[in-house]
């Protein structure tokens, strides 16, 4: 039996009892309010729209302050997401507000890069929260939640139809963030054209399957106003921080030669409706939808990619420990398999290397034998030459000895002849 089935069964088995006196748990809502007030709240808004469409001005107008705004050009090489976090306080309620602006959106030749950076940023915030949840020692109570709670998508007041980039971007984001489309600079288009433009936008969103954020109607306290406001989407807004004198009071407005457009005048634009719906009525629902719908979808897909599941193929519940052990055994088996493959590869390479070395050794041995034979032949030739030289030397020595003997004999004969001649000459005298 699944955990949800067990919970429903327990609800059915629960008995309703009457209390005979005051207990005190009716103060739980007050305790929750006090705890939330002391901890403070966080809210993160993503503003998507082309450069110069009025994103920063509308943020300043919505929160009645001046945020840090940076000048942007139409020549950015890629879309940059610039996040700025501010601590705001109204009465005794503290709000940590993060405004994420898309710089250079739609200015590149490759429009895919425009929405891909936004998708990656949203997924990065989900991943950061998931990693914090998966820690052994978690600290979610003081963790700065950077997940995007609301996406204000600014539509240019063309009066015709949505751009292809707008449709593709919203389709890529509708499962990741609460999209609230707004028509920017609504004072540049007539009321009749604006009405037709709104109908055209909603028709295109429905026909392309884009799911925008719908204000909740399940709560009876806000069902009526939210139902009415769902019919006004997309909101046509005008932003301005300049104050203009109208009658005897100063109001936020935009002044033109032909008249004054009052920001907070509901007959002029939908700014008040947007502020009420976004901040006063549905801010907590936007936070809840982000956590229970968009983040849960991301978390589920991520865990399924990692191999975790709630039930086995037979629809029996599987514990996280069981899944972990299975994944661990699978990982160990895969590790052993890869280790065996590496070992076999290593053995094969060693054998190949040994074979190469043996071939090289045989080649060297053959060369050595060849050199050895050549050496023996050379040595034999040298020995032959040496013997020949020795014989020649012996013959030469004998001839020289004979020559010397002959010379000695000739000298002796000559000497004796001379002596005999001398004696004869001396006898005659």
């Amino acid at each position: 039996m699944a955990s949800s089935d067990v919970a429903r069964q327990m609800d059915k088995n629960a008995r309703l009892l009457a209390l005979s006196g005051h207990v005190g748990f009716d103060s739980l809502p007050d305790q929750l309010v006090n705890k939330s007030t002391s901890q403070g709240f966080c809210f993160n808004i993503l503003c998507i729209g082309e450069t110069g469409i009025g994103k920063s001005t509308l943020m300043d107008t919505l929160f009645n302050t001046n945020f840090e705004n940076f000048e942007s050009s139409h020549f950015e090489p890629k879309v940059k997401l610039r996040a700025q976090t501010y601590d705001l306080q109204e009465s005794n309620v503290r709000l940590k507000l993060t405004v994420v602006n898309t710089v250079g959106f739609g200015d590149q030749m490759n429009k895919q890069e425009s929405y891909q950076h936004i998708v990656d940023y949203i997924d990065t915030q989900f991943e950061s929260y998931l990693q914090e949840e998966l820690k052994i020692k978690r600290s979610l109570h003081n963790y700065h939640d950077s997940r995007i709670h609301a996406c204000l998508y600014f539509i240019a007041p063309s009066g015709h139809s949505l751009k292809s980039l707008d449709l593709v971007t919203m389709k890529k984001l509708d499962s990741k963030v609460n999209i609230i489309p707004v028509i920017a600079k609504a004072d540049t288009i007539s009321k009749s054209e604006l009405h037709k433009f709104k109908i055209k936008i909603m028709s295109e969103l429905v026909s392309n399957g884009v799911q925008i954020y719908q204000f909740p109607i399940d709560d009876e306290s806000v069902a009526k106003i939210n139902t009415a406001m769902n019919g006004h989407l997309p909101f046509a807004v005008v932003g301005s921080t300049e104050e203009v004198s109208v009658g005897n009071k100063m109001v936020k407005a935009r002044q033109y030669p032909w008249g004054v457009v009052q920001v907070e005048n509901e007959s002029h634009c939908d700014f008040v409706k947007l502020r009420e719906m976004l901040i006063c009525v549905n801010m907590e629902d936007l936070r809840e939808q982000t956590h229970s719908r968009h983040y849960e979808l991301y978390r589920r897909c991520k865990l399924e990619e990692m191999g975790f599941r709630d039930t086995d193929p037979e629809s029996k519940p599987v514990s996280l420990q069981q899944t972990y052990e299975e994944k661990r055994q699978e990982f160990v088996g895969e590790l052993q398999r890869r280790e065996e493959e590496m070992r076999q590869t290593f053995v094969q390479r060693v054998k190949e290397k040994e074979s190469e070395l043996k071939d090289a050794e045989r080649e060297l041995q053959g060369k050595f034998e060849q050199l050895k034979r050549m050496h023996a032949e050379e040595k034999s030739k040298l020995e032959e030459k040496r013997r020949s030289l020795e014989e020649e030397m012996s013959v030469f020595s004998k001839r020289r000895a004979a020559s010397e003997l002959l010379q000695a004999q000739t000298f002796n004969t000559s000497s004796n002849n001379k002596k005999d001649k001398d004696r004869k000459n001396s006898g005659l005298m």
Side-chain angles (χ1 to χ4, degrees):
M1 184 180 294
S3 58
S4 57
D5 297 334
V6 173
R8 284 194 293 269
Q9 187 64 33
M10 292 178 63
D11 290 340
K12 292 179 180 179
N13 296 334
R15 293 185 300 165
L16 179 63
L17 296 178
L19 304 179
S20 58
H22 181 262
V23 176
F25 57 79
D26 58 351
S27 66
L28 277 173
D30 297 329
Q31 297 176 33
L32 183 61
V33 169
N34 294 334
K35 180 180 179 181
S36 300
T37 302
S38 63
Q39 289 181 348
F41 301 87
C42 76
F43 192 63
N44 307 317
I45 301 178
L46 171 63
C47 300
I48 302 178
E50 61 189 41
T51 305
I53 203 169
K55 302 186 292 295
S56 300
T57 303
L58 184 63
M59 287 296 101
D60 291 346
T61 311
L62 273 175
F63 291 93
N64 200 22
T65 187
N66 290 316
F67 295 115
E68 297 177 74
N69 297 322
F70 301 89
E71 293 292 332
S72 301
S73 70
H74 288 276
F75 304 101
E76 295 290 341
K78 64 179 181 179
V79 177
K80 299 178 183 178
L81 279 85
R82 182 183 293 133
Q84 297 289 331
T85 302
Y86 309 93
D87 287 321
L88 307 179
Q89 184 162 350
E90 187 175 34
S91 299
N92 64 334
V93 178
R94 292 180 296 107
L95 178 67
K96 185 182 289 293
L97 176 68
T98 299
V99 179
V100 183
N101 195 3
T102 54
V103 181
F105 177 76
D107 292 338
Q108 295 75 34
M109 293 295 294
N110 186 358
K111 303 299 183 182
Q112 181 179 0
E113 294 295 325
S114 296
Y115 68 78
Q116 191 58 50
H117 289 292
I118 301 173
V119 172
D120 294 341
Y121 178 85
I122 295 173
D123 286 344
T124 300
Q125 312 317 309
F126 283 152
E127 183 64 24
S128 298
Y129 193 88
L130 177 61
Q131 292 301 321
E132 185 64 29
E133 272 194 331
L134 295 177
K135 286 182 179 179
I136 297 177
K137 294 183 179 180
R138 300 185 300 179
S139 57
L140 292 174
H141 61 283
N142 58 4
Y143 173 78
H144 179 212
D145 186 2
S146 59
R147 297 173 297 176
I148 301 298
H149 300 121
C151 170
L152 294 182
Y153 198 98
F154 289 73
I155 301 170
S158 63
H160 302 291
S161 60
L162 289 170
K163 297 178 181 179
S164 298
L165 176 61
D166 295 330
L167 287 171
V168 172
T169 302
M170 283 192 274
K171 184 61 179 176
K172 292 291 183 180
L173 297 178
D174 63 359
S175 63
K176 297 178 178 295
V177 69
N178 301 309
I179 301 176
I180 302 176
V182 295
I183 301 173
K185 297 182 178 181
D187 52 340
T188 61
I189 187 173
S190 66
K191 283 191 174 182
S192 60
E193 290 176 336
L194 183 60
H195 180 68
K196 293 178 182 178
F197 191 35
K198 283 188 174 185
I199 296 175
K200 180 70 173 176
I201 289 173
M202 293 305 296
S203 174
E204 289 182 345
L205 292 177
V206 172
S207 62
N208 286 276
V210 178
Q211 300 291 327
I212 64 173
Y213 175 72
Q214 294 290 315
F215 303 119
I217 57 176
D218 52 352
D219 186 353
E220 294 182 359
S221 61
V222 295
K224 185 176 181 181
I225 185 173
N226 280 348
T227 301
M229 291 300 104
N230 282 330
H232 282 85
L233 290 172
F235 293 130
V237 298
V238 177
S240 176
T241 56
E242 298 180 3
E243 292 191 347
V244 178
S245 176
V246 176
N248 58 354
K249 62 179 182 179
M250 301 295 292
V251 296
K252 288 185 174 64
R254 301 185 73 89
Q255 191 167 18
Y256 297 96
W258 47 262
V260 176
V261 178
Q262 300 179 37
V263 173
E264 297 183 344
N265 189 331
E266 294 193 47
S267 64
H268 290 184
C269 69
D270 297 331
F271 173 80
V272 174
K273 295 183 178 66
L274 174 63
R275 184 175 61 187
E276 290 291 317
M277 291 296 97
L278 180 66
I279 300 175
C280 302
V281 179
N282 298 301
M283 181 181 282
E284 182 56 32
D285 184 73
L286 288 164
R287 286 158 39 90
E288 177 60 27
Q289 285 291 320
T290 297
H291 181 77
S292 62
R293 180 187 170 195
H294 302 299
Y295 170 70
E296 278 299 314
L297 177 61
Y298 176 85
R299 174 180 172 275
R300 185 181 68 195
C301 293
K302 243 339 184 184
L303 292 179
E304 287 177 352
E305 288 177 6
M306 297 167 63
F308 292 97
R309 60 191 185 279
D310 294 328
T311 58
D312 60 13
E314 299 179 357
S315 299
K316 295 181 180 180
V318 178
S319 66
L320 183 63
Q321 179 67 24
Q322 181 180 348
T323 304
Y324 170 76
E325 288 296 333
E326 290 178 359
K327 295 300 293 182
R328 181 178 178 276
Q329 293 297 329
E330 181 181 344
F331 174 76
V332 171
E334 179 68 14
L335 189 63
Q336 291 176 348
R337 184 184 67 80
R338 290 186 179 182
E339 184 179 354
E340 181 64 22
E341 287 181 356
M342 292 178 65
R343 191 183 69 81
Q344 292 293 339
T345 303
F346 176 75
V347 171
Q348 182 65 26
R349 289 184 178 179
V350 168
K351 289 181 178 179
E352 292 175 357
K353 199 67 177 177
E354 287 180 349
S355 177
E356 291 177 2
L357 291 174
K358 287 180 179 179
D359 292 341
E361 184 180 1
R362 284 194 294 270
E363 184 178 353
L364 289 174
Q365 185 67 28
K367 290 182 178 180
F368 174 74
E369 294 295 335
Q370 183 180 0
L371 291 173
K372 189 176 178 181
R373 287 193 299 271
M374 292 173 63
H375 175 72
E377 291 175 358
E378 291 292 331
K379 185 178 179 181
S380 177
K381 291 179 180 179
L382 290 174
E383 287 292 334
E384 185 67 26
K385 288 182 178 181
R386 185 178 67 80
R387 286 193 297 271
S388 176
L389 287 173
E390 287 180 350
E391 290 176 357
E392 291 179 0
M393 288 175 64
S394 178
V395 171
F396 176 77
S397 297
K398 291 178 179 179
R399 286 180 179 179
R400 187 179 66 177
S403 175
E404 290 176 352
L405 180 61
L406 180 60
Q407 288 179 359
Q409 290 176 352
T410 303
F411 178 76
N412 290 333
T413 302
S414 172
S415 179
N416 292 331
N417 290 335
K418 186 178 182 181
K419 287 179 180 180
D420 290 341
K421 187 178 182 180
D422 288 341
R423 281 193 301 267
K424 285 179 182 181
N425 289 332
S426 63
L428 292 175
M429 292 177 67

